[in-house]
Amino acid sequence: MKIQNSKNKNSIIIGPAVAVDTLIFTIRDGKLMVLLIEIGSGPYKDKWALPGGIVQLNETLDEAAKNVLKKKAGIKDIYMEQLYTFSDLKRDVRGRMISVAYFALVNSDEFNLKTMDYYSDIEWINVRKLPKMAFDHKEIINYGLDRLKSKIEYSNIVYGLLPETFTLTEMQNVYEIILGEKIDKRNFRKKILALGLLTETKKVKTGAKHRPAKLYKFKKRELVFTK
Amino acid sequence: MKIQNSKNKNSIIIGPAVAVDTLIFTIRDGKLMVLLIEIGSGPYKDKWALPGGIVQLNETLDEAAKNVLKKKAGIKDIYMEQLYTFSDLKRDVRGRMISVAYFALVNSDEFNLKTMDYYSDIEWINVRKLPKMAFDHKEIINYGLDRLKSKIEYSNIVYGLLPETFTLTEMQNVYEIILGEKIDKRNFRKKILALGLLTETKKVKTGAKHRPAKLYKFKKRELVFTK
DNA sequence: TACTAAAGTGTTAATAATACACTAACAATA
DNA sequence: TATTGTTAGTGTATTATTAACACTTTAGTA
């Protein structure tokens, strides 16, 4: 390994630059949405991109991704994991740039639009109806979508998309939206409750013009594998 | 994104350096082995490390990893995938270095030791009995081991560890070595054959002092998900 | 108080996973 | 050439999991 100036922590290295790009999913209006920014100038003008930023010398990739979420989208304390590192030579026409993609889930109740109305060019976009994308960000989104579809089947990550308390029907809807298929109500409830990850609260969701639904919550809001 | 000299493809960027480290597994003497290099000088002298190298401006990460395999270990045309990107600030005391880890499988029949006897300091090491490791390479190995254990259960990647033709017992042995548990012979054969990924060759493995075993081969030696 | 709409609930059938033991075929040797 | 040792090769019964399917309950509203 060749490193110039090896005694100095802030060494200058000649090599690809490193960025993080964050893929933030949420459920809104019964659709799976992703947070995108419209680019205002430069070679990718009028195309859309994932929120991202250059990785600084004194931050890890996880920290860099958290900083992007906080600065660009005002989001913190959410589910996040590293997705994949993209490195095509031509992925950014402006220069050689490696991007470490991160994958995040938010529940749109806690994270309301007002936080970001501030930016005119940042929006939740239906992941099934993407606009013209900059860089290889369409590829990143598809990669993340595959991760989401598979991981929701063998873990409890769905908590990242749900509010603190929720009904089983709301939870089932999230599964159906992500997987793109209807699920049998009785089988779904049986299976989910058998996992033992939820506790029944003593509250119900009232106000709708039908029987009120029991509200549940996750015992622990942290990643658990279920298979 | 701040990029200096944006019209020049070979821009100079101030940021973390990027390396690839390759985690190469094989089965030898009934054990899961990993290819390690003993470091001869510097702050990590006498510790062991994964084969790795700095990522050049004109190569993708996949290419960089392939080049490492070829140059450092004389290996090519094997199963390889990106594993994870490691970025702790202190992972290399010599300076800020991000490492994209790759995960590779070879079958030790095709890849014989002679190819690399050339290097005195490169060896297959039992993954359950690792020596003192440099950097965060122990962590990378454990991460890769988890990937291997899970992926062997939902895909056909085991082909990467097997020769062109093999007996079902040999295949079962690989599963048992990786998972660290005995598997029922009849159930294993039933399940594997039901997947329909193998074809029976007309040959048998003779020479052993017992009944000869049928030789099988994979219909396709490329990644297929089985669940 | 009748109507609407989603909540809530069990059983049966089909499929998949597990547990388990003997015969077949060759090599080595007496 | 008969005997022994060693691994290859095979089927069935049990259990666990998944899939299919329809009616009653409860609040809101007219």
Side-chain angles (χ1 to χ4, degrees), chain A residues 19-25 34-36 48-52 81-88 91-92 97-104 127 130 133-148, chain B residues 1:
Chain A
V20 291
D21 287 307
T22 60
L23 176 54
I24 312 165
F25 287 114
V34 62
L35 195 64
L36 297 179
W48 294 75
L50 300 171
E81 67 178 40
Q82 190 185 301
L83 185 60
Y84 194 80
T85 302
F86 294 83
S87 69
D88 278 4
R91 57 179 299 284
D92 187 335
M97 180 71 70
I98 286 174
S99 166
V100 183
Y102 274 76
F103 166 102
V127 78
L130 293 175
M133 300 296 299
F135 316 107
D136 51 2
H137 286 189
K138 188 165 187 175
E139 188 187 346
I140 296 179
I141 292 171
N142 288 332
Y143 194 96
L145 195 47
D146 286 346
R147 172 83 58 99
L148 179 60
Chain B
M1 300 189 184

Side-chain angles (χ1 to χ4, degrees), chain A residues 28 73-74 107-117 124:
Chain A
R28 278 180 103 83
N107 52 297
S108 48
D109 283 13
E110 292 175 25
F111 172 71
N112 55 36
L113 256 176
K114 278 180 190 166
T115 321
M116 30 169 292
D117 269 346
W124 289 114

Side-chain angles (χ1 to χ4, degrees), chain A residues 1-3 5-9 11-19 21 52-63 72 82 84-90 92-98 100 102 135 137, chain B residues 1-3 5-9 11-19 21 52-63 81-82 84-90 92-98 100 102 135 137:
Chain A
M1 296 191 186
K2 291 178 217 158
I3 303 181
N5 193 11
S6 65
K7 285 174 191 162
N8 181 344
K9 234 192 338 189
S11 310
I12 294 173
I13 309 283
I14 297 175
V18 183
D21 287 307
I54 295 290
V55 176
Q56 304 300 312
L57 267 178
N58 63 347
E59 61 184 2
T60 64
L61 293 167
D62 284 16
E63 288 163 0
K72 296 227 178 173
Q82 190 185 301
Y84 194 80
T85 302
F86 294 83
S87 69
D88 278 4
L89 300 181
K90 302 283 175 66
D92 187 335
V93 299
R94 299 168 304 177
R96 183 68 203 287
M97 180 71 70
I98 286 174
V100 183
Y102 274 76
F135 316 107
H137 286 189
Chain B
M1 300 189 184
K2 292 178 216 157
I3 302 180
N5 193 10
S6 66
K7 284 173 190 162
N8 181 343
K9 235 195 331 191
S11 310
I12 293 173
I13 308 283
I14 297 176
V18 183
D21 287 306
I54 295 290
V55 177
Q56 304 300 313
L57 268 177
N58 62 348
E59 61 184 2
T60 65
L61 293 167
D62 284 15
E63 287 163 1
E81 67 178 41
Q82 191 185 300
Y84 195 80
T85 302
F86 294 84
S87 69
D88 277 4
L89 301 182
K90 300 285 175 65
D92 186 334
V93 300
R94 299 167 303 177
R96 183 68 203 286
M97 180 71 69
I98 286 173
V100 184
Y102 274 77
F135 316 108
H137 286 189

Side-chain angles (χ1 to χ4, degrees), chain A residues 118-137:
Chain A
Y118 189 72
Y119 301 88
S120 61
D121 54 348
I122 187 165
E123 275 182 40
W124 289 114
I125 306 274
N126 185 338
V127 78
R128 326 273 181 191
K129 292 182 181 172
L130 293 175
K132 292 275 184 194
M133 300 296 299
F135 316 107
D136 51 2
H137 286 189

Side-chain angles (χ1 to χ4, degrees), chain B residues 160-174:
Chain B
L161 295 166
L162 288 168
E164 187 69 20
T165 65
F166 49 86
T167 69
L168 291 182
T169 299
E170 286 166 349
M171 187 176 182
Q172 183 176 338
N173 286 338
V174 175

